[in-house]
Amino acid sequence: MRDQGSFRQTRSRLELRARGLAAVRSFLDAQGSLEVETPLLLRAQAPERHIVAPAVPGAGFLAASPELQMKRLVADGAGPIHQITRSFRGGERGRVHLPEFTIVEWYLPGATYREAMDQTEALVRWVAERLATSGSPPRFDPGVPFERHRIPDLFERLAGWRPGADVDDERFAFDLVDKVEPALPRDRGVLVYDYPASQASLARLCPGDPAYAERFELYLGGLELANGFTELSDAAEQRARFERERAAIAAQGRSPYPLDERFLAALPRLGLCAGVALGFDRLLLALTGLEDIGEVTSFRWEEV
Amino acid sequence: MYDSSDIRKNLKILIDGQPWVVVDFQFVKPGKGTAFTRTRIKNMITGAVLDKTFRSGEKLEPAEVEQVSAQYMYHEGDQYWFMDNTSYEQFAVSAAQLGDQAQFLTENLVVNITMFQGQPVGIELPTFIEVQITKCEPGVRGDTATGGTKPATISSGALIQVPFHINEGDWVKVDTRDGRYVERINKR
């Protein structure tokens, strides 16, 4: 039995989500982006060594990301598109992790990660303002511009070393989690960009400095909220990176997903394009200051 | 040996020969990176608090600590003396190790003492204690329903908030986790 109080909590939780979803949609609509849907049940997946797409016996995999399908749509002439969908990550559950979560993903043909960063900042401020006017005070002032830092500079300052192209995967992730993230300001958005080339499997390398890739992340309230990049559109290079990731997955004793040949065939037609993925549940968490991601979903994972 | 996946609140681990207890932990994983467990741990001897990140699959050495039941006797300077209820052996715990817990100690209170390598490193209080109010302003008649509180000193030394109708000499039940007043009790 749930008492009156928890009914009210359920209602306000659902209203928060609904208002957030409406705000995201209104922003992207106003940018001239078209809302699309892509399959959640996939036969192939972008291989990434630290991401596990749950297998569905006899059918394939649940999507860990809608990325490859959306890029195929852009390559086929869809123009600017977005979707608000679910993504699945096996083995991830914590205060800010869910095995099934809501992702906002959008693509900007003709743009680089620079414009994508600007648009991500504008989207988050837009949503923060909409949630503020409807009763939930924002945890940060949406009027304050986001900070921007290059990853190598940030590591040099906070971790005492400068990651280069072939950075040690584990050392990079450890210092990111242990030294860099805890030191980021929590009262404003922080955009970090130019990741070591090895830390970006689907991003274009910086044209002037191939040690780094044109990838960025947005942090808000200490949470990693969004990941975006200038898309790699060189199919041969993409195939080589996929093979490297597949080898790393095989070395972990997992069976790598089949290569998505249709994606690789479409990639050269993608041209210049930027894409962003934003964790919607985490956005709500960052804007409300709640502690556990289960407090902003309709059900806690443990109650499903 | 523990594994990083065993990390829970109150897990006691050994780092560089010192016993530490996990006070908070969080699963962290960069979107494109490997998983870690970020912890806040407390040194059971010095009380120092530290943030430490463990790699996925990292091994942790258990700290062999045992709990013994003991009775609080008295304090002398910053040494608080207890007696083991089984062996009748007496030992002291320092004020630094007790922290805020010292203000809930009353004579003959039975607590659990945490022992590490034969040395007491901390105590565990009962969740509720029964104590007498030694000092507070007189009660205000007719003001029992408003839910207001006033400060009061209890016999163990702590300053707590109690409802207006509580008076000096009253016995009350107090939650030692947060010093919260629970209820008035009848005790002769």
Side-chain angles (χ1 to χ4, degrees):
Chain A
M1 284 292 283
R2 290 200 152 187
D3 60 20
Q4 226 18 67
S6 56
F7 271 124
R8 268 198 296 277
Q9 278 175 12
T10 299
R11 178 73 195 186
S12 63
R13 190 166 69 235
L14 296 176
E15 282 175 356
L16 174 75
R17 282 193 79 84
R19 287 201 311 267
L21 288 169
V24 168
R25 281 207 168 87
S26 66
F27 177 86
L28 290 165
D29 284 347
Q31 304 287 313
S33 180
L34 182 71
E35 181 160 1
V36 300
E37 293 177 298
T38 57
L40 293 182
L41 190 56
L42 302 176
R43 277 194 286 270
Q45 194 89 229
E48 296 202 51
R49 67 187 76 183
H50 299 302
I51 293 177
V52 178
V56 180
F61 306 91
L62 289 174
S65 151
E67 186 164 2
L68 303 192
Q69 289 69 39
M70 290 185 78
K71 285 189 214 172
R72 278 174 65 187
L73 293 179
V74 176
D76 288 345
I81 54 171
H82 66 274
Q83 78 172 317
I84 304 175
T85 186
R86 302 302 177 81
S87 289
F88 302 85
R89 306 277 166 96
E92 297 191 17
R93 172 62 178 135
R95 217 173 285 166
V96 297
H97 290 82
L98 287 169
E100 175 182 353
F101 61 100
T102 298
I103 196 168
V104 179
E105 179 131 348
W106 72 98
Y107 287 86
L108 301 164
T112 70
Y113 73 144
R114 297 266 167 196
E115 291 93 79
M117 275 193 268
D118 293 344
Q119 212 189 56
T120 304
E121 176 171 352
L123 181 148
V124 169
R125 289 164 138 196
W126 172 275
V127 175
E129 283 162 10
R130 301 276 150 330
L131 290 186
T133 55
S134 43
S136 323
R139 296 272 296 166
F140 76 107
D141 180 356
V144 177
F146 290 5
E147 285 186 12
R148 298 187 185 212
H149 302 285
R150 288 189 77 224
I151 279 282
D153 300 339
L154 205 55
F155 265 69
E156 186 156 58
R157 181 156 59 84
L158 299 171
W161 59 290
R162 229 180 144 75
D166 283 318
V167 63
D168 177 77
D169 201 27
E170 170 138 336
R171 184 184 181 202
F172 182 80
F174 186 89
D175 277 3
L176 180 67
V177 160
D178 194 57
K179 300 194 170 74
V180 176
E181 287 182 2
L184 295 177
R186 287 172 172 256
D187 60 345
R188 69 196 61 189
V190 186
L191 286 155
V192 302
Y193 62 97
D194 290 354
Y195 279 71
S198 65
Q199 298 299 307
S201 151
L202 295 120
R204 183 177 87 169
L205 300 181
C206 297
D209 188 357
Y212 299 97
E214 292 189 332
R215 173 185 161 204
F216 73 91
E217 295 253 8
L218 168 65
Y219 286 88
L220 187 63
L223 283 176
E224 178 193 338
L225 219 63
N227 176 45
F229 30 83
T230 312
E231 305 296 343
L232 175 67
S233 60
D234 178 335
E237 169 66 16
Q238 186 67 78
R239 183 184 294 275
R241 292 193 200 173
F242 276 177
E243 291 294 4
R244 261 204 307 278
E245 289 300 310
R246 294 177 86 217
I249 290 171
Q252 295 169 357
R254 294 197 283 140
S255 49
Y257 321 112
L259 268 187
D260 191 336
E261 291 294 347
R262 289 189 179 87
F263 166 74
L264 290 169
L267 201 51
R269 298 195 304 276
L270 182 63
L272 182 64
C273 180
V276 186
L278 179 140
F280 177 72
D281 315 280
R282 283 194 186 181
L283 175 63
L284 294 181
L285 207 58
L287 293 180
T288 56
L290 291 169
E291 283 287 304
D292 190 306
I293 199 160
E295 293 177 71
V296 298
T297 53
S298 50
F299 292 92
R300 286 175 180 277
W301 167 242
E302 290 72 22
E303 294 170 343
V304 172
Chain B
M1 278 301 216
Y2 297 126
D3 183 76
S4 62
S5 62
D6 296 321
I7 293 174
R8 297 284 177 273
K9 276 186 191 177
N10 286 322
L11 188 78
K12 296 169 180 74
I13 54 175
L14 198 66
I15 301 172
D16 298 331
Q18 299 260 307
W20 295 77
V21 60
V22 175
V23 291
D24 201 9
F25 73 102
Q26 190 183 2
F27 172 79
V28 288
K29 180 182 180 302
K32 305 280 182 191
T34 177
F36 299 95
T37 305
R38 191 185 276 156
T39 65
R40 176 155 290 178
I41 56 177
K42 187 175 164 195
N43 187 306
M44 298 177 71
I45 294 173
T46 65
V49 173
L50 182 73
D51 289 328
K52 189 167 168 62
T53 304
F54 293 96
R55 292 174 170 79
S56 196
E58 188 169 341
K59 299 278 179 258
L60 292 81
E61 198 174 338
E64 302 294 345
V65 294
E66 54 166 347
Q67 302 270 351
V68 301
S69 172
Q71 209 168 31
Y72 172 64
M73 300 192 299
Y74 61 92
H75 77 97
E76 205 177 66
D78 69 348
Q79 297 293 300
Y80 288 74
W81 286 88
F82 295 84
M83 184 174 68
D84 187 322
N85 281 337
T86 317
S87 67
Y88 303 114
E89 194 185 329
Q90 297 181 9
F91 42 79
V93 181
S94 74
Q97 286 168 342
L98 291 176
D100 287 344
Q101 293 175 308
Q103 55 180 345
F104 295 111
L105 287 174
T106 53
E107 208 176 307
N108 298 332
L109 185 72
V110 175
V111 302
N112 280 322
I113 308 256
T114 307
M115 308 288 283
F116 173 69
Q117 293 173 349
Q119 295 295 314
V121 294
I123 70 165
E124 203 171 278
L125 291 168
T127 307
F128 299 109
I129 53 170
E130 295 179 351
V131 286
Q132 202 170 14
I133 303 289
T134 54
K135 193 170 166 232
C136 74
E137 297 298 316
V140 182
R141 200 183 302 276
D143 206 2
T144 54
T146 57
T149 61
K150 60 182 179 181
T153 307
I154 56 176
S155 49
S156 59
L159 186 68
I160 65 166
Q161 291 293 321
V162 298
F164 286 129
H165 65 274
I166 297 294
N167 291 307
E168 279 181 17
D170 284 351
W171 284 84
V172 295
K173 190 179 190 180
V174 173
D175 188 327
T176 60
R177 291 168 298 187
D178 50 9
R180 188 174 51 85
Y181 162 89
V182 180
E183 60 186 359
R184 179 160 65 177
I185 50 174
N186 287 318
K187 195 158 180 171
R188 296 274 162 244

